[in-house]
Amino acid sequence: QVQLVESGGGLVQPGGSLRLSCAASGSIFSINAMGWYRQAPGKQRELVATITSGGSTNYADSVKGRFTISRDNAKNTVYLQMNSLKPEDTAVYVCNANVVRKWTYNEYDCWGQGTQVTVSS
């Protein structure tokens, strides 16, 4: 079993900042890409940012220049630093990791339960 646990969400005013964390634990041999997705009420889940094990990053156009994704491979943790937050960033943010499991070396996508981010004055 592999678990992803997110933290760091909350309520922030427009223009503010938040930092999300997502820690993976369990039967992990290695982790390939990790990323953050978000889903606002009434909308489909969308990609926010991804990062490979080597540190290459990819961002949605809507967050470029404002959000920064990073990871600590030793801790199996991915972070999302969110600056200059806007009301349209309000959503449930969900962590994703492409995990290679111990013993079986099977590869599969693992998802967290999500953390709410609300940007409002």
Side-chain angles (χ1 to χ4, degrees):
Q1 287 268 359
V2 175
Q3 289 185 324
L4 299 183
V5 178
E6 299 110 330
S7 61
L11 173 64
V12 65
Q13 292 187 339
S17 298
L18 282 175
R19 189 189 193 214
L20 306 182
S21 300
C22 172
S25 62
S27 184
I28 298 171
F29 174 74
S30 64
I31 302 178
N32 297 321
M34 302 184 81
W36 290 93
Y37 292 73
R38 66 186 182 187
Q39 187 164 17
K43 294 187 177 181
Q44 289 189 330
R45 181 176 290 184
E46 64 174 357
L47 169 73
V48 177
T50 61
I51 184 167
T52 67
S53 57
S56 296
T57 58
N58 179 55
Y59 295 93
D61 288 342
S62 58
V63 307
K64 281 180 181 176
R66 300 189 297 122
F67 291 10
T68 302
I69 189 170
S70 61
R71 64 190 281 176
D72 184 332
N73 290 331
K75 296 180 179 180
N76 288 334
T77 299
V78 63
Y79 306 96
L80 186 68
Q81 177 66 44
M82 303 185 294
N83 298 328
S84 303
L85 282 160
K86 304 175 180 179
E88 52 263 43
D89 294 317
T90 295
V92 174
Y93 285 68
V94 183
C95 175
N96 168 264
N98 184 255
V99 174
V100 179
R101 295 186 67 174
K102 279 184 181 177
W103 316 125
T104 64
Y105 304 105
N106 289 335
E107 188 177 313
Y108 78 108
D109 273 342
C110 187
W111 294 88
Q113 292 190 329
T115 184
Q116 177 69 46
V117 171
T118 302
V119 185
S120 175
S121 54

